Amino acid sequence: MQVIVDDLLTHYDLHGKGKLVVLLHGWGDSAKGLAGLQKELTVQYRVLSVDLPGFGSTQMPKTAWDLDDYARFVEHLLRKLEFQQPYAVIGHSNGGALAIRAVSLECLQPQRLVLLAASGVRTNNPTRRLIIKIIAKTGNAVTLWLPRRRRQALRKHLYGATGSDMLVVPELEDTFKKTVRQDVQGDAAAIDVPTLLIYAASDDAVPVADGRQYHSLIKGSRLEVVKNAGHFVHLDQPDKTVALIKEFLA
Amino acid sequence: MVYMETVAVIFGGRSAEHDVSIVTALASIIKPLELTKKYRVEAVYIAKDGAWYWDDKLKDIKLFTSGGIQDYLHRAQPASVQFDGGMMLVKASGIAGRKQTRKVDLVFPAMHGTYGEDGALMGLLDMTGIPYVGCGVSASAVCMNKVLAKKVALGCGLPVSDYMSFHKSFIERDASTLLKTILKRLTLPLFVKPAHLGSSIGITRATSETELRNALEVAAHYDDEVIVEEEVPNLIEVTLPIMGNDQPKPALLEQPMTKPEDFFDFDTKYLQGGKKGKGTAKGAQGYSQIPADLPKDLYKQAEELGLNVYRVMGCSGIARVDMLIDSKAKKAYFNEVNPLPGGLYAHNWNKAGVSNVELVERLISFAKERHAQRQSLATSFSTNYLQQF
Amino acid sequence: MISKLTSLYRPSYAAALIYMLQSTEYQIRPYLRWVWRTDDFSGVMHRRTLERTRPAKLLLAALSLGMLVQIAAGLLLVYLGIWHNLTGGIAFGLAVLISYPFIWAYLIVLPLVLGRELIARPKEQMLLNESDAIFAKHSGIKIAVAGSYGKTTMKELLTTVLDEGLKVAATPANKNVSISHARFAANLEGDEQVLVIEYGEGAPGDVARFARTTHPTHAVITGLAPAHLDHYKTLQAAGEDIFAVADYLKGKHVYVNGEANAAKPFIKSSYNVFDRHNALGWKVERAHVSLSGIGFVMTKASQELELHSNLIGRHQVGYLAFVAALALELGLSSEQVQHGIAKTKPFEHRMQPYELGGAWVVDDTYNGNLEGIRAGTELLKELKAKRKIYITPGLVDQGEETERVHQEIGRLIAAAHPGIVVLMKNSTTDFIKNGLKAGDFKGELRIESDPLDFYTNLKHFVAAGDLVVMQNDWPDNYA
């Protein structure tokens, strides 16, 4: 379904009856990526899953956004649909970082928070970031002579190889830069909502270490590490993930 | 060597249905036309930025599906069109600045949506004076405006469901008053649609006042004009492809099995691979029943209605009429007309006994027939107006 | 011209040669003939490509290596020639260099022959000796299936139906020569009640030899038609070879398809003859043929048996009736036979019906002979349709009979009254055209130059109400 939020044509899926649960997808993903999880939860809850601006069928933000803009967008969406605060918020990857920031800004005031392989611990390895930055700058200068398309393809390839999602959606390059610069550890420390952290043992995009970091920051949080799963833990181990979430929300 | 007529197939365009148009052109028009071995087929592609390209390479669907089209557009020189004594495609040949040209005998438009299906392209073709396939300027323009089409149908006494229409500025200015006005006259649930867009883009089914307000905003985001219609109860949706000029012939009534606004079942929705039914999923093979399973009299009623709509809209060549049936009251309502059905609705024609090759050949003969009729009309008169000035 | 020449020097040339070897089933003579005939090797792998099997990979490696060695030798000679200023040396070097595609097109045969003689043949001989003993000792009923056509169908029918009540083993699809019989024997468990053994025929003496090694107790002769005449030369020779199995059995338990006209002169009074009206004393009645199969009733004295099969075409009625009757004789119940016959269905590309955009297509592109064409055109004539379309490229392997056979094909097609006939442009096209003319064909005739293109685009030409019969896919090595 569609609705206009912040003057952007926004696509969302809303199903089920009961207390409201909001799903926030990760970078380069869309509501579709969380559809399986949504379907499972609709048995007991009213589940809202939205394509965040720039992803899925929702329009691109008109300027470069950071997590704060996304947080306010989600707040406006709920207001537009005439919802009160949700019972629970579930965020995956960058959607998890967004959820933390949104709770901290009080854009979202849920009673339960679920973070699936949430990112947002951005300072764990400053040296690696510096190296990538140096390579990127030099690479930029060296490849200037290439045709634009070739250059873009090459960049995409190289960023992918370093584990960066920056060029998954090339149009959002600036938004990406703004977003990943935002560390939300401080926001996490201030959270006093019961929080479930689910991390995947074989996740090489967001390591379990980040989960432990959040676990230590968020008072009374619970950390679950799911084996035999990668970054998309809800797709790799759907039964396990759903069971954990259902039990936590009950 | 026998002279082969040159048929230019024009596709792509600056519309939301750009991609559907590519598939229609390559799979349902160019391929069968080439198989007839009677025509020289020229592929004319209008990119999203509006530039025209003319190249045999554009006949290969892989160019578009692989994303290679971006590279192609970077390198290729756009083509141009000359109107001296008909229509002539012109492009640089790449050899010492020489121009390559091709005189076009007939055009097969394969455009969906705005700047193509809505009469804009047909106007240009009328100016060139060569025959072209499908509906003319006025029929295309009327059909592609859902409000205008309803007014024409109503004016001719054909049944339509209750509706209201508004200009975008009205919605932006005072939405609350507008909501009251609407709900005073029409009963929920309501369908809210942009007036001009094809397929089901921007369409919402609203069951509450809030949903209606949001739906109006969404529709106004796509179009200047918005139409709000009452839902037909006990609904069976059907669609009927029709071809011909003075004596239109129907294909088979087709019933899409999943409604695009049916958001309840996750599986159908995602298996369709569709967000809100991007046009092709609707009525695509496998998701529809051909012929629709209706009682004989109701089938006949809908078929008659479809043919009448085709006539009063002034359609020629081909079109597809969508209708809504109240299965309890046994009554069919006109919904909308697509002057160029996606893929020509060839899957339906096949079931009706018309092969893809026959379909394009017949459409070409209808185009020629209409062109000949128009040629025979008196269009210039000698007056002494200027002398009197 | 240039592109034809350069096709010899393209990297894909080696693969093309191996592909040709593979397509001719590593038979040297047909391969060499094909090489001789081809002038543009880039077009060889137009329809199919090389299947990378182990022998193919080994040969390709050997061929590539051989070519590289020759190129290197050529270059070395040219270099030495220049170094020592020997014009003759340079010329010879160049000749060596240029000639590698020609030389190796023939040289590649050498490893093939060596491998066959030194490794494959002794191994096969051992297997054959063993299988002779296995078959001789085996206590089950051993049914040999021989004929110029219909063997696979008969074998499958026997297996499907008899399997309802007996333990059956049959030779795998198209594995019908001595070595495959031997492999089949090696895999037997010993307690099978029925063995169905298909006899492929290729050259005079084949069938007699198969009979000696497989020790059959029963034999079914499915038909006789001009096929493999490049080896048999005459229909008479082919018939004599096929009926050798009947002689082996001394006329006992020999069953012959009576609808095969060419087989009639060979039939002796002790043989059981079956056809669409009679089979082993049963009368066949009320046969009904449609695109969903065949239904018929068999009666004998007071017994009546109603049967339905998913096979297509009236020519199958005799086969089905015979298999049903034989199954009853071998002790199966009526229910088992009914059930078994109901399970029979068309095989891929053999009178296989499918729907295409509302039209019906009967795909009979596998293999081909005049009797098959007779059955296909008969089906086209019998079934109702708004428009009938018949497609064929003609038949291969017809030897001196080519002209006569294809004129007959033309007449058969004309007799089915199709609205459209599609022929493929090749050496037989004109003969079929003459036959059509003689049969007073009045419909539309299309001649296509690219069969593959036409087949893949068939869906664009047909619609609901059309019935298409497609027969005999012409293998591209004969084009």
Side-chain angles (χ1 to χ4, degrees), chain B residues 261-284:
Chain B
E261 58 280 355
D262 189 356
F263 286 95
F264 192 71
D265 186 352
F266 270 67
D267 286 330
T268 18
K269 187 183 167 197
Y270 286 112
L271 281 177
Q272 273 188 342
K275 300 262 175 208
K276 320 156 281 299
K278 277 256 161 81
T280 42
K282 187 185 175 189

PDB file of all heavy atoms in Angstrom, chain B residues 261-284:
ATOM      1  N   GLU B 261      -5.601  -5.403  -5.758  1.00  0.00           N
ATOM      2  CA  GLU B 261      -5.803  -4.740  -4.471  1.00  0.00           C
ATOM      3  C   GLU B 261      -6.047  -5.748  -3.361  1.00  0.00           C
ATOM      4  O   GLU B 261      -6.296  -5.394  -2.229  1.00  0.00           O
ATOM      5  CB  GLU B 261      -6.960  -3.737  -4.564  1.00  0.00           C
ATOM      6  CG  GLU B 261      -8.295  -4.315  -4.986  1.00  0.00           C
ATOM      7  CD  GLU B 261      -8.385  -4.527  -6.493  1.00  0.00           C
ATOM      8  OE1 GLU B 261      -7.451  -4.138  -7.197  1.00  0.00           O
ATOM      9  OE2 GLU B 261      -9.375  -5.099  -6.945  1.00  0.00           O
ATOM     10  N   ASP B 262      -5.971  -7.021  -3.723  1.00  0.00           N
ATOM     11  CA  ASP B 262      -6.166  -8.043  -2.713  1.00  0.00           C
ATOM     12  C   ASP B 262      -4.859  -8.265  -1.979  1.00  0.00           C
ATOM     13  O   ASP B 262      -4.002  -9.028  -2.393  1.00  0.00           O
ATOM     14  CB  ASP B 262      -6.627  -9.341  -3.398  1.00  0.00           C
ATOM     15  CG  ASP B 262      -7.065 -10.363  -2.384  1.00  0.00           C
ATOM     16  OD1 ASP B 262      -6.928 -10.083  -1.182  1.00  0.00           O
ATOM     17  OD2 ASP B 262      -7.540 -11.425  -2.795  1.00  0.00           O
ATOM     18  N   PHE B 263      -4.698  -7.564  -0.872  1.00  0.00           N
ATOM     19  CA  PHE B 263      -3.418  -7.616  -0.172  1.00  0.00           C
ATOM     20  C   PHE B 263      -3.408  -8.665   0.924  1.00  0.00           C
ATOM     21  O   PHE B 263      -2.475  -8.758   1.685  1.00  0.00           O
ATOM     22  CB  PHE B 263      -3.101  -6.255   0.442  1.00  0.00           C
ATOM     23  CG  PHE B 263      -2.679  -5.263  -0.574  1.00  0.00           C
ATOM     24  CD1 PHE B 263      -3.605  -4.403  -1.120  1.00  0.00           C
ATOM     25  CD2 PHE B 263      -1.369  -5.212  -0.997  1.00  0.00           C
ATOM     26  CE1 PHE B 263      -3.220  -3.484  -2.072  1.00  0.00           C
ATOM     27  CE2 PHE B 263      -0.985  -4.294  -1.949  1.00  0.00           C
ATOM     28  CZ  PHE B 263      -1.904  -3.435  -2.491  1.00  0.00           C
ATOM     29  N   PHE B 264      -4.453  -9.415   1.013  1.00  0.00           N
ATOM     30  CA  PHE B 264      -4.567 -10.272   2.170  1.00  0.00           C
ATOM     31  C   PHE B 264      -3.584 -11.426   2.138  1.00  0.00           C
ATOM     32  O   PHE B 264      -2.906 -11.711   3.095  1.00  0.00           O
ATOM     33  CB  PHE B 264      -5.998 -10.783   2.325  1.00  0.00           C
ATOM     34  CG  PHE B 264      -6.201 -11.422   3.654  1.00  0.00           C
ATOM     35  CD1 PHE B 264      -6.244 -10.654   4.801  1.00  0.00           C
ATOM     36  CD2 PHE B 264      -6.307 -12.801   3.771  1.00  0.00           C
ATOM     37  CE1 PHE B 264      -6.401 -11.229   6.042  1.00  0.00           C
ATOM     38  CE2 PHE B 264      -6.455 -13.380   5.012  1.00  0.00           C
ATOM     39  CZ  PHE B 264      -6.511 -12.594   6.144  1.00  0.00           C
ATOM     40  N   ASP B 265      -3.511 -12.065   0.993  1.00  0.00           N
ATOM     41  CA  ASP B 265      -2.695 -13.266   0.893  1.00  0.00           C
ATOM     42  C   ASP B 265      -1.271 -12.923   0.470  1.00  0.00           C
ATOM     43  O   ASP B 265      -1.024 -12.492  -0.633  1.00  0.00           O
ATOM     44  CB  ASP B 265      -3.348 -14.213  -0.128  1.00  0.00           C
ATOM     45  CG  ASP B 265      -2.625 -15.531  -0.164  1.00  0.00           C
ATOM     46  OD1 ASP B 265      -1.565 -15.635   0.475  1.00  0.00           O
ATOM     47  OD2 ASP B 265      -3.125 -16.435  -0.834  1.00  0.00           O
ATOM     48  N   PHE B 266      -0.357 -13.131   1.389  1.00  0.00           N
ATOM     49  CA  PHE B 266       1.045 -12.840   1.113  1.00  0.00           C
ATOM     50  C   PHE B 266       1.571 -13.627  -0.070  1.00  0.00           C
ATOM     51  O   PHE B 266       2.254 -13.113  -0.920  1.00  0.00           O
ATOM     52  CB  PHE B 266       1.887 -13.246   2.322  1.00  0.00           C
ATOM     53  CG  PHE B 266       2.044 -12.168   3.310  1.00  0.00           C
ATOM     54  CD1 PHE B 266       0.970 -11.722   4.027  1.00  0.00           C
ATOM     55  CD2 PHE B 266       3.284 -11.606   3.528  1.00  0.00           C
ATOM     56  CE1 PHE B 266       1.121 -10.726   4.952  1.00  0.00           C
ATOM     57  CE2 PHE B 266       3.441 -10.609   4.457  1.00  0.00           C
ATOM     58  CZ  PHE B 266       2.371 -10.165   5.170  1.00  0.00           C
ATOM     59  N   ASP B 267       1.244 -14.909  -0.072  1.00  0.00           N
ATOM     60  CA  ASP B 267       1.844 -15.794  -1.071  1.00  0.00           C
ATOM     61  C   ASP B 267       1.511 -15.368  -2.480  1.00  0.00           C
ATOM     62  O   ASP B 267       2.378 -15.237  -3.319  1.00  0.00           O
ATOM     63  CB  ASP B 267       1.386 -17.235  -0.847  1.00  0.00           C
ATOM     64  CG  ASP B 267       2.080 -17.827   0.356  1.00  0.00           C
ATOM     65  OD1 ASP B 267       3.216 -17.399   0.614  1.00  0.00           O
ATOM     66  OD2 ASP B 267       1.489 -18.677   1.031  1.00  0.00           O
ATOM     67  N   THR B 268       0.213 -15.130  -2.715  1.00  0.00           N
ATOM     68  CA  THR B 268      -0.165 -14.719  -4.068  1.00  0.00           C
ATOM     69  C   THR B 268       0.571 -13.460  -4.448  1.00  0.00           C
ATOM     70  O   THR B 268       1.077 -13.326  -5.545  1.00  0.00           O
ATOM     71  CB  THR B 268      -1.670 -14.414  -4.168  1.00  0.00           C
ATOM     72  OG1 THR B 268      -2.192 -14.219  -2.886  1.00  0.00           O
ATOM     73  CG2 THR B 268      -2.389 -15.482  -4.910  1.00  0.00           C
ATOM     74  N   LYS B 269       0.640 -12.545  -3.492  1.00  0.00           N
ATOM     75  CA  LYS B 269       1.241 -11.265  -3.818  1.00  0.00           C
ATOM     76  C   LYS B 269       2.708 -11.414  -4.194  1.00  0.00           C
ATOM     77  O   LYS B 269       3.149 -10.929  -5.216  1.00  0.00           O
ATOM     78  CB  LYS B 269       1.111 -10.327  -2.640  1.00  0.00           C
ATOM     79  CG  LYS B 269       1.573  -8.944  -2.991  1.00  0.00           C
ATOM     80  CD  LYS B 269       1.509  -8.031  -1.819  1.00  0.00           C
ATOM     81  CE  LYS B 269       2.275  -6.776  -2.152  1.00  0.00           C
ATOM     82  NZ  LYS B 269       2.587  -6.033  -0.961  1.00  0.00           N
ATOM     83  N   TYR B 270       3.459 -12.137  -3.365  1.00  0.00           N
ATOM     84  CA  TYR B 270       4.879 -12.213  -3.648  1.00  0.00           C
ATOM     85  C   TYR B 270       5.205 -13.215  -4.729  1.00  0.00           C
ATOM     86  O   TYR B 270       6.163 -13.065  -5.458  1.00  0.00           O
ATOM     87  CB  TYR B 270       5.669 -12.450  -2.367  1.00  0.00           C
ATOM     88  CG  TYR B 270       5.721 -11.198  -1.557  1.00  0.00           C
ATOM     89  CD1 TYR B 270       5.071 -11.087  -0.348  1.00  0.00           C
ATOM     90  CD2 TYR B 270       6.374 -10.083  -2.061  1.00  0.00           C
ATOM     91  CE1 TYR B 270       5.091  -9.907   0.361  1.00  0.00           C
ATOM     92  CE2 TYR B 270       6.397  -8.900  -1.368  1.00  0.00           C
ATOM     93  CZ  TYR B 270       5.755  -8.810  -0.152  1.00  0.00           C
ATOM     94  OH  TYR B 270       5.778  -7.645   0.532  1.00  0.00           O
ATOM     95  N   LEU B 271       4.377 -14.226  -4.841  1.00  0.00           N
ATOM     96  CA  LEU B 271       4.619 -15.178  -5.932  1.00  0.00           C
ATOM     97  C   LEU B 271       4.392 -14.505  -7.270  1.00  0.00           C
ATOM     98  O   LEU B 271       5.043 -14.804  -8.248  1.00  0.00           O
ATOM     99  CB  LEU B 271       3.713 -16.391  -5.786  1.00  0.00           C
ATOM    100  CG  LEU B 271       4.213 -17.386  -4.747  1.00  0.00           C
ATOM    101  CD1 LEU B 271       3.250 -18.526  -4.591  1.00  0.00           C
ATOM    102  CD2 LEU B 271       5.587 -17.900  -5.124  1.00  0.00           C
ATOM    103  N   GLN B 272       3.455 -13.589  -7.298  1.00  0.00           N
ATOM    104  CA  GLN B 272       3.220 -12.834  -8.520  1.00  0.00           C
ATOM    105  C   GLN B 272       4.431 -11.993  -8.860  1.00  0.00           C
ATOM    106  O   GLN B 272       4.526 -11.468  -9.951  1.00  0.00           O
ATOM    107  CB  GLN B 272       2.043 -11.891  -8.334  1.00  0.00           C
ATOM    108  CG  GLN B 272       0.707 -12.520  -8.640  1.00  0.00           C
ATOM    109  CD  GLN B 272      -0.376 -11.469  -8.632  1.00  0.00           C
ATOM    110  OE1 GLN B 272      -0.183 -10.385  -8.094  1.00  0.00           O
ATOM    111  NE2 GLN B 272      -1.482 -11.776  -9.223  1.00  0.00           N
ATOM    112  N   GLY B 273       5.328 -11.852  -7.871  1.00  0.00           N
ATOM    113  CA  GLY B 273       6.506 -11.039  -8.078  1.00  0.00           C
ATOM    114  C   GLY B 273       6.109  -9.593  -8.207  1.00  0.00           C
ATOM    115  O   GLY B 273       6.853  -8.751  -8.674  1.00  0.00           O
ATOM    116  N   GLY B 274       4.920  -9.269  -7.796  1.00  0.00           N
ATOM    117  CA  GLY B 274       4.427  -7.923  -8.067  1.00  0.00           C
ATOM    118  C   GLY B 274       4.241  -7.118  -6.824  1.00  0.00           C
ATOM    119  O   GLY B 274       3.801  -7.582  -5.802  1.00  0.00           O
ATOM    120  N   LYS B 275       4.621  -5.919  -6.909  1.00  0.00           N
ATOM    121  CA  LYS B 275       4.191  -4.892  -5.996  1.00  0.00           C
ATOM    122  C   LYS B 275       2.864  -4.454  -6.579  1.00  0.00           C
ATOM    123  O   LYS B 275       2.798  -4.148  -7.751  1.00  0.00           O
ATOM    124  CB  LYS B 275       5.126  -3.689  -6.079  1.00  0.00           C
ATOM    125  CG  LYS B 275       6.549  -4.024  -5.744  1.00  0.00           C
ATOM    126  CD  LYS B 275       6.772  -3.642  -4.329  1.00  0.00           C
ATOM    127  CE  LYS B 275       8.125  -4.052  -3.845  1.00  0.00           C
ATOM    128  NZ  LYS B 275       8.131  -4.283  -2.441  1.00  0.00           N
ATOM    129  N   LYS B 276       1.883  -4.387  -5.815  1.00  0.00           N
ATOM    130  CA  LYS B 276       0.613  -3.797  -6.236  1.00  0.00           C
ATOM    131  C   LYS B 276       0.317  -4.048  -7.712  1.00  0.00           C
ATOM    132  O   LYS B 276      -0.133  -3.176  -8.413  1.00  0.00           O
ATOM    133  CB  LYS B 276       0.631  -2.278  -6.005  1.00  0.00           C
ATOM    134  CG  LYS B 276       1.301  -1.896  -4.728  1.00  0.00           C
ATOM    135  CD  LYS B 276       1.826  -0.492  -4.746  1.00  0.00           C
ATOM    136  CE  LYS B 276       3.119  -0.250  -5.450  1.00  0.00           C
ATOM    137  NZ  LYS B 276       4.292  -0.862  -5.062  1.00  0.00           N
ATOM    138  N   GLY B 277       0.653  -5.202  -8.210  1.00  0.00           N
ATOM    139  CA  GLY B 277       0.322  -5.556  -9.588  1.00  0.00           C
ATOM    140  C   GLY B 277       0.806  -4.541 -10.611  1.00  0.00           C
ATOM    141  O   GLY B 277       0.113  -3.612 -10.947  1.00  0.00           O
ATOM    142  N   LYS B 278       2.006  -4.743 -11.124  1.00  0.00           N
ATOM    143  CA  LYS B 278       2.543  -3.783 -12.093  1.00  0.00           C
ATOM    144  C   LYS B 278       1.999  -4.043 -13.487  1.00  0.00           C
ATOM    145  O   LYS B 278       2.733  -4.172 -14.443  1.00  0.00           O
ATOM    146  CB  LYS B 278       4.078  -3.867 -12.123  1.00  0.00           C
ATOM    147  CG  LYS B 278       4.738  -3.058 -11.029  1.00  0.00           C
ATOM    148  CD  LYS B 278       5.333  -1.749 -11.558  1.00  0.00           C
ATOM    149  CE  LYS B 278       5.578  -0.734 -10.472  1.00  0.00           C
ATOM    150  NZ  LYS B 278       6.815  -0.938  -9.725  1.00  0.00           N
ATOM    151  N   GLY B 279       0.680  -4.131 -13.586  1.00  0.00           N
ATOM    152  CA  GLY B 279       0.107  -4.211 -14.931  1.00  0.00           C
ATOM    153  C   GLY B 279       0.241  -5.564 -15.573  1.00  0.00           C
ATOM    154  O   GLY B 279      -0.758  -6.201 -15.892  1.00  0.00           O
ATOM    155  N   THR B 280       1.475  -6.037 -15.761  1.00  0.00           N
ATOM    156  CA  THR B 280       1.640  -7.294 -16.486  1.00  0.00           C
ATOM    157  C   THR B 280       1.142  -8.482 -15.682  1.00  0.00           C
ATOM    158  O   THR B 280       0.605  -9.417 -16.236  1.00  0.00           O
ATOM    159  CB  THR B 280       3.112  -7.536 -16.848  1.00  0.00           C
ATOM    160  OG1 THR B 280       3.877  -7.175 -15.721  1.00  0.00           O
ATOM    161  CG2 THR B 280       3.488  -6.734 -18.053  1.00  0.00           C
ATOM    162  N   ALA B 281       1.354  -8.433 -14.368  1.00  0.00           N
ATOM    163  CA  ALA B 281       0.915  -9.553 -13.544  1.00  0.00           C
ATOM    164  C   ALA B 281      -0.591  -9.705 -13.667  1.00  0.00           C
ATOM    165  O   ALA B 281      -1.129 -10.791 -13.717  1.00  0.00           O
ATOM    166  CB  ALA B 281       1.298  -9.323 -12.084  1.00  0.00           C
ATOM    167  N   LYS B 282      -1.243  -8.573 -13.765  1.00  0.00           N
ATOM    168  CA  LYS B 282      -2.688  -8.576 -13.928  1.00  0.00           C
ATOM    169  C   LYS B 282      -2.990  -9.098 -15.328  1.00  0.00           C
ATOM    170  O   LYS B 282      -2.583  -8.524 -16.323  1.00  0.00           O
ATOM    171  CB  LYS B 282      -3.192  -7.140 -13.773  1.00  0.00           C
ATOM    172  CG  LYS B 282      -4.692  -7.028 -13.753  1.00  0.00           C
ATOM    173  CD  LYS B 282      -5.044  -5.547 -13.729  1.00  0.00           C
ATOM    174  CE  LYS B 282      -6.522  -5.330 -13.829  1.00  0.00           C
ATOM    175  NZ  LYS B 282      -6.824  -3.914 -14.006  1.00  0.00           N
ATOM    176  N   GLY B 283      -3.690 -10.172 -15.374  1.00  0.00           N
ATOM    177  CA  GLY B 283      -4.075 -10.684 -16.687  1.00  0.00           C
ATOM    178  C   GLY B 283      -2.978 -11.491 -17.365  1.00  0.00           C
ATOM    179  O   GLY B 283      -3.165 -11.981 -18.450  1.00  0.00           O
ATOM    180  N   ALA B 284      -1.840 -11.622 -16.730  1.00  0.00           N
ATOM    181  CA  ALA B 284      -0.795 -12.433 -17.344  1.00  0.00           C
ATOM    182  C   ALA B 284      -1.247 -13.890 -17.312  1.00  0.00           C
ATOM    183  O   ALA B 284      -2.070 -14.281 -16.498  1.00  0.00           O
ATOM    184  CB  ALA B 284       0.508 -12.282 -16.575  1.00  0.00           C
TER     185      ALA B 284
END
